[in-house]
Amino acid sequence: MSALLTATCVVPAAGAVLTAALPAGSTEARRRTTKAVALGVSAVALVLAAVVAARFDPHGARYQLTESYSWIRSFGITFSLGVDGIGAVLALLTAVLVPVVILASWHDADPVAPGPDGAEAGTIEGKRRTQGFFALILAVEAMVIVSFYATDVFLFYVFFEAMLIPMYFLIGGFGDRAGGPESARQRSYAAVKFLLYNLLGGLVMLAAVIGLYVLAQDQGVATFDLRTLTDAVADGRLQLSGTADKALFLGFFFAFAVKAPLWPLHTWLPNAMGEATAGTAVLITAVVDKVGTFAMLRFCLGLFPDASRTFAPAILVLSLVGIVYGALLAIGQKDIKRLVAYASISHFGFIIMGIFALTSQGQSGATLYMVNHGISTAAWMLVAGFLISRRGSRLIADYGGVQKVAPVLAGTFLIGGLATLSLPGLAPFVSEFLVLVGTFTRYPAVGIVATFGIVLAALYALLLYQRTMTGPVKEGVRAMPDLKARELAVVAPLVALTVLLGVYPRPLTDLVNPSVDATLSQVHRTDPAPVHPVAASSGGERK
């Protein structure tokens, strides 16, 4: 039994402990050591995640590199890991983004001098304990990777909830410095709102997990092992009544919809992303939130296929509302980071729509969308963070003419915006196209209305660029420096991946398509057969 998956999870966890144990960053040399250790650990985790993806055989078993260790024997709970194509790709995305986030956040935990009234002296904001900040980032990475590899339902639940703790402290303790005099209070509000929303979802899921175990135990399937449960559902050994099936599905789905987030459970996201540092905002929307959409594929569809088919139309309506609502509110934002947050809500609507269209194109597109949104939004948000750190303001109105004084910064910001609106040739276009095609084949009206989200995306992305980067150079922008070497090292790989996956997405599709096909077979769905125009006009008979 290989321990590769365990090693991939343990390395960032051990790195978090090591980083937290380093001496407090009271000197520049100690802070550099802390940052170097965190970056080095994340690089090792990236190598291991890449090895996992490389060793995964798309033509082999659905779950590979499996490991299982006894944990709570009396309840059949194990520390069981296994990777399918979707989990391998998303774990690799996480491992790619974390070192980028660490490098982008290089100075986000440096000491801050207290204000003239000394209000923040002696607090975590005043000390900005460097080792704690980077340890929390590595802890999030470890928990997210475990979630992508977990094949025990209870194990998944534990880490699904545990990742909220380091994220709470990252948002509330190390928030954005450009929030003004009320920033500490706003960060605290955003962190508590994030925690309460997600804890509520987690409590509902816990009730569903316990209910699933009790019903499975009554039918002789007393286990939390995902593979055993899905096989039992498929071959009829585990039969859930209509009411129980729907109730358990809703319990799981509610938790995942909060995490994703899906309208109308989204309201914590703009606050959290707006008040967090740019690097933490990327962790929220590009890493942690992907656990919610991934879990919809793995748990909702796999464990509750009948309920998934029943609720799919209603979920598609919620997704459609999220697409349009998120885009419209993004257009009206005055705050750069909140604009990106509402844009992400719109994008998550596309992802969830692709999942519950229950077609191979829709689900392949949704999985690619998780990856491509993570990369492109990371680029857009991190460049926005560099911009905000220079001017000290998140307000769009405080910028203008940036492209004349910082052309490289403006150019990379434009690429991030163009990727967000799914420009052909950039990675998000491929995934959005597949989602729309996959949705249209089964739900034409939903697919047609969803295309308006693309038009609205062009509005918010291009208007943001026009208002901040073009026009006369505003007074606070005149001395703004261009991107430095470290910042270019952050943005360059994200831009390269955005272009590469837009031109050649096959490496990802080859990995995820077998898992998508297996998921569709679990919900007893096949792609709708295309209707030939002649056959349709003569009564719909296909030859």
Side-chain angles (χ1 to χ4, degrees), residues 122-174:
T123 66
I124 192 170
E125 179 68 18
K127 296 178 180 179
R128 307 288 291 193
R129 287 171 57 90
T130 305
Q131 75 278 28
F133 177 75
F134 290 102
L136 290 170
I137 293 175
L138 292 174
V140 171
E141 178 181 23
M143 294 174 184
V144 169
I145 291 177
V146 172
S147 299
F148 289 139
Y149 290 162
T151 56
D152 183 279
V153 177
F154 191 81
L155 174 68
F156 172 84
Y157 169 77
V158 168
F159 284 92
F160 180 81
E161 287 293 276
M163 67 181 71
L164 301 179
I165 298 171
M167 287 306 309
Y168 168 80
F169 287 108
L170 283 171
I171 297 167
F174 299 93

Side-chain angles (χ1 to χ4, degrees), residues 168-432:
Y168 168 80
F169 287 108
L170 283 171
I171 297 167
F174 299 93
D176 190 359
R177 302 179 187 181
E182 294 293 317
S183 61
R185 186 176 303 170
Q186 292 166 354
R187 285 198 305 275
S188 178
Y189 171 79
V192 171
K193 189 174 183 180
F194 162 82
L195 187 64
L196 291 179
Y197 266 68
N198 284 276
L199 279 179
L200 174 61
L203 288 174
V204 174
M205 181 183 171
L206 178 60
V209 169
I210 295 171
L212 176 64
Y213 178 79
V214 171
L215 292 174
Q217 185 181 43
D218 290 344
Q219 301 180 46
V221 193
T223 182
F224 285 97
D225 183 74
L226 177 65
R227 291 165 293 178
T228 302
L229 290 170
T230 53
D231 288 345
V233 169
D235 60 26
R237 288 182 291 122
L238 176 56
Q239 297 182 352
L240 302 174
S241 67
T243 302
D245 189 42
K246 293 173 183 176
L248 293 176
F249 170 87
L250 289 175
F252 277 77
F253 179 78
F254 179 80
F256 304 151
V258 172
K259 182 87 79 179
L262 174 66
W263 183 92
L265 305 172
H266 66 282
T267 58
W268 62 268
L269 183 66
N271 296 97
M273 289 184 64
E275 298 305 324
T277 65
T280 301
V282 169
L283 285 180
I284 295 170
T285 190
V287 175
V288 171
D289 288 355
K290 298 301 187 298
V291 178
T293 48
F294 162 80
M296 291 178 188
L297 279 167
R298 176 168 283 190
F299 296 96
C300 288
L301 301 187
L303 293 172
F304 315 106
D306 294 338
S308 297
R309 293 194 303 272
T310 299
F311 287 109
I315 294 170
L316 288 174
V317 171
L318 295 178
S319 302
L320 200 57
V321 173
I323 290 169
V324 177
Y325 171 88
L328 287 174
L329 263 69
I331 292 172
Q333 290 304 303
K334 299 178 180 180
D335 183 308
I336 297 174
K337 292 170 74 176
R338 290 179 68 91
L339 185 152
V340 177
Y342 279 107
S344 290
I345 292 169
S346 182
H347 292 310
F348 276 106
F350 278 107
I351 294 170
I352 298 171
M353 184 176 75
I355 292 171
F356 284 94
L358 301 180
T359 61
S360 60
Q361 300 101 322
Q363 292 191 353
S364 293
T367 304
L368 289 179
Y369 214 133
M370 294 183 217
V371 177
N372 295 334
H373 169 265
I375 295 169
S376 61
T377 300
W380 206 27
M381 175 57 83
L382 292 177
V383 176
F386 298 150
L387 179 69
I388 292 167
S389 67
R390 284 158 165 75
R391 179 68 176 81
S393 171
R394 304 199 307 250
L395 297 178
I396 296 172
D398 289 339
Y399 296 88
V402 173
Q403 67 179 11
K404 297 177 182 177
V405 297
V408 178
L409 187 154
T412 53
F413 192 69
L414 177 61
I415 293 172
L418 293 176
T420 296
L421 62 84
S422 298
L423 182 75
L426 300 179
F429 170 77
V430 179
S431 45
E432 196 161 282

Side-chain angles (χ1 to χ4, degrees), residues 6-29:
T6 298
T8 309
C9 302
V10 167
V11 164
V17 174
L18 173 62
T19 305
L22 291 173
S26 57
T27 66
E28 181 60 30

